[in-house]
Amino acid sequence: MNRYTARRMSAVAALLLVAGALAGCTNDSLADKYAASEEQGYVAGDGSWQEFVPGERAAPVVYGGTTSDGAAISSDELVGDVVVVNFWYAACPPCRAEAEDLEQVHQKYAEQRVHFVGVNVYDQAETINSFNSEFGVTYPSIIDVNDAEVRLAFADNVPPQAIPSTLVLDREGRVAAVIRGVADPSVLGAMIDRVLEENAA
């Protein structure tokens, strides 16, 4: 068994352990504020973030799926642009806490060929669309609860329990940065800026 196969099998096993009782939100102080008043079980993420210089980045991540609006979306159509991928689900208090901030960052960079793609790991279309309406989220979200294909594609960077997590992909589709926990908009913005600058050089 090669290392790649072993990593994939390990990722599948981890996803199976959390299927049906998906949890995982950060232990960030902002998350604690929401968790204190919402008795919803979730595993705390470590709240860490990490950036990778171009020479340290792994191969482009191949992913795709159907959004809550019924549209197909895939990594192939986004190559050439910077992409922000956010893993979330509606009942996760920190996911709710960061939703409006993510939308604001999305709007800020919308004209700079930066795409935001949500990956909902637990809900179906009706719940996702209701969440988006409540929080004013306008970017699409892939429904990943049925087959977990997107989670598997990003398993090296986003452990199953680390929800929410947000990644910045460079124009080749490689992971350039990852935030495991609530995404601070200033940190996320700085990550996006650095990727935009390197591609403009």
Side-chain angles (χ1 to χ4, degrees):
M1 180 185 299
N2 61 39
R3 291 170 60 189
Y4 174 79
T5 302
R7 285 202 309 269
R8 294 287 286 186
M9 290 180 67
S10 176
V12 171
L15 287 170
L16 290 174
L17 286 173
V18 297
L22 203 148
C25 293
T26 180
N27 60 358
D28 186 277
S29 59
L30 181 61
D32 291 340
K33 173 183 173 183
Y34 280 78
S37 60
E38 305 241 4
E39 294 186 2
Q40 302 180 50
Y42 58 87
V43 179
D46 60 10
S48 65
W49 58 269
Q50 190 173 11
E51 293 184 277
F52 306 95
V53 298
E56 295 177 346
R57 293 172 193 165
V61 182
V62 178
Y63 61 95
T66 302
T67 72
S68 61
D69 293 328
I73 190 170
S74 74
S75 52
D76 289 343
E77 65 192 72
L78 299 172
V79 170
D81 293 340
V82 175
V83 180
V84 177
V85 179
N86 174 252
F87 287 81
W88 70 283
Y89 67 100
C92 163
C95 300
R96 301 172 73 83
E98 72 175 0
E100 293 179 353
D101 285 339
L102 289 174
E103 176 62 23
Q104 288 177 5
V105 179
H106 163 58
Q107 293 295 337
K108 177 181 177 180
Y109 289 95
E111 295 183 1
Q112 299 183 55
R113 296 181 63 184
V114 177
H115 302 275
F116 274 57
V117 177
V119 179
N120 187 291
V121 299
Y122 190 73
D123 306 309
Q124 296 293 347
E126 183 177 358
T127 300
I128 295 171
N129 292 337
S130 176
F131 180 99
N132 288 345
S133 177
E134 178 180 355
F135 291 96
V137 176
T138 61
Y139 55 85
S141 276
I142 295 171
I143 301 173
D144 199 47
V145 63
N146 300 321
D147 53 27
E149 287 188 3
V150 184
R151 276 174 286 170
L152 285 172
F154 286 94
D156 285 346
N157 295 103
V158 181
Q161 73 275 17
I163 306 296
S165 282
T166 302
L167 304 96
V168 180
L169 310 184
D170 66 17
R171 285 192 169 98
E172 295 180 32
R174 303 176 301 173
V175 175
V178 57
I179 301 170
R180 300 178 186 91
V182 171
D184 181 284
S186 62
V187 172
L188 178 58
M191 290 174 166
I192 295 170
D193 287 338
R194 282 189 278 274
V195 177
L196 287 172
E197 287 169 3
E198 72 188 22
N199 285 290

